[in-house]
Amino acid sequence: MDVELIFKIAAIGIIVAVLCQLLSRSGREDQAMLTSLAGLIVVLTLIVAQISNLFGTIKRLFGF
């Protein structure tokens, strides 16, 4: 696992948290929820790609 992935996830989390706070305080709770949902989807996409690489490596390792 790459350290860059952890930094990317942390950066996305910080940006999403700041945006959610700004939107919530300005009275746009719906947009804040959509922003947090979009951040979650981006992070899950990054993680799914890494899990796919892991399964590919395991498959090559055992020769399937």
Side-chain angles (χ1 to χ4, degrees), residues 4-62:
E4 285 183 23
L5 178 66
I6 296 171
F7 287 141
K8 284 180 185 178
I9 292 172
I12 291 170
I14 291 170
I15 291 169
V16 167
V18 168
L19 284 174
C20 285
Q21 286 296 322
L22 288 174
L23 289 170
S24 292
R25 293 188 189 248
S26 66
R28 299 178 177 173
E29 286 82 16
D30 294 338
Q31 290 177 351
M33 184 196 60
L34 289 175
T35 302
S36 63
L37 186 62
L40 178 66
I41 290 171
V42 169
V43 169
L44 286 177
T45 303
L46 291 172
I47 292 173
V48 165
Q50 291 298 319
I51 290 173
S52 174
N53 288 339
L54 173 67
F55 284 143
T57 303
I58 291 172
K59 200 174 186 180
R60 267 187 285 120
L61 181 67
F62 291 111

